[in-house]
Amino acid sequence: MRNQRVWYHYLEDPYLHDKTDLAQLALCALPLFLLLLGIGSAAIQSACSRAVAGEAPREGSPARLRPVLAVYVLRGLAVWPLPLIVAVVANRFTGYHLNTPLPLEPDTWPYILVKYSPLAALFVAVLLRLALTLAPAAAADGLGARAALRRSWSLTWTRVGAARVLALAVPLVALIAGVLRLVTQVALPLRPLVRGLLEDATGNFFAAYYAGILAPVIVGILVTATVTVPLTCTAFAALYDRLSPPRRSPAIG
């Protein structure tokens, strides 16, 4: 973007901003971000589960993170493709497309059903995500990835398990949303500061503008994760330990 701006300035033409470069950069950085997020969450979940069980730190910790990390991958693949696919299909049939007639006529029952189908798919995804909430704690307890998902499913889809998971998840979600909102608002003065520094350093107004918008959000996400992720992992590890059947000690003699 900076090179394009310099080139257009050299040609004495107005610079037409294009968001394609930023979108490609974000997509390329997304796998690395998800990998770092998964590794960090797996490490915190393992430490919190050991603390709940009253165990000392074990050797070979990186190897023990693999089942927890695999649980995050499998759970993400099981939960989020459905609402994304349904949203894309619904937009294809009901979204606004320039110079393209809609396949479905507006204000008809098929149009309304397809238009609001992403909400139903999101509801199903949230239920599935709640049913698999205890899987990381199960994996940190020593189960394999698929066994941990099955254990979480079996523990959650009971009257007691569903009520306790929901009673714990709702306050935690409210806490996370509240902390994120509060920290982001407090960090809003970073916007003009970051925008001014980057604009002076690069001469690119658009990149500095977007960086200024993202700066408070990034600070809010980091602070919120620092405060709430250990609490959340500990809470669900304790709930998993309470819902799990007691381990039988080996018979003597």
Side-chain angles (χ1 to χ4, degrees):
M1 291 175 61
R2 179 178 182 276
N3 292 337
Q4 290 177 356
R5 179 181 179 278
V6 172
W7 175 248
Y8 280 105
H9 181 72
Y10 172 75
L11 296 178
E12 297 183 353
D13 286 341
Y15 174 58
L16 300 178
H17 171 51
D18 185 8
K19 300 179 181 178
T20 306
D21 294 337
L22 287 177
Q24 292 176 352
L25 179 62
L27 289 177
C28 291
L30 183 60
L32 177 61
F33 167 75
L34 293 177
L35 178 62
L36 293 176
L37 177 65
I39 293 174
S41 300
I44 294 174
Q45 180 65 70
S46 300
C48 294
S49 296
R50 288 197 302 268
V52 169
E55 299 178 359
R58 308 170 185 172
E59 296 180 358
S61 296
R64 296 182 183 276
L65 295 182
R66 294 172 187 170
V68 185
L69 186 59
V71 162
Y72 287 129
V73 174
L74 292 178
R75 188 174 66 180
L77 293 176
V79 172
W80 300 119
L82 175 63
L84 292 177
I85 293 174
V86 172
V88 171
V89 173
N91 180 71
R92 172 65 180 82
F93 285 95
T94 63
Y96 175 75
H97 302 282
L98 188 62
N99 297 328
T100 303
L102 291 177
L104 298 176
E105 185 177 353
D107 299 328
T108 60
W109 278 110
Y111 180 89
I112 295 175
L113 291 176
V114 173
K115 181 178 180 180
Y116 292 101
S117 59
L119 295 177
L122 182 61
F123 179 74
V124 173
V126 170
L127 289 181
L128 186 58
R129 175 62 176 79
L130 288 174
L132 302 178
T133 297
L134 302 178
D141 193 45
L143 296 179
R146 289 182 293 180
L149 292 173
R150 290 194 296 267
R151 174 67 65 83
S152 177
W153 183 275
S154 63
L155 292 177
T156 304
W157 283 115
T158 61
R159 181 177 300 179
V160 175
R164 292 187 178 182
V165 168
L166 190 62
L168 183 59
V170 171
L172 287 175
V173 170
L175 174 65
I176 293 171
V179 174
L180 179 61
R181 176 69 175 176
L182 175 62
V183 177
T184 302
Q185 289 296 317
V186 172
L188 284 180
L190 288 175
R191 282 185 175 178
L193 178 62
V194 172
R195 183 169 62 241
L197 290 176
L198 286 182
E199 187 175 0
D200 293 339
T202 64
N204 192 325
F205 168 78
F206 295 104
Y209 173 76
Y210 285 115
I213 291 178
L214 291 176
V217 179
I218 294 173
V219 172
I221 291 174
L222 291 176
V223 174
T224 303
T226 303
V227 173
T228 61
V229 169
L231 175 63
T232 302
C233 292
T234 303
F236 283 115
L239 180 60
Y240 170 77
D241 186 69
R242 181 177 293 271
L243 293 177
S244 297
R247 297 183 179 88
R248 296 180 178 178
S249 58
I252 300 177

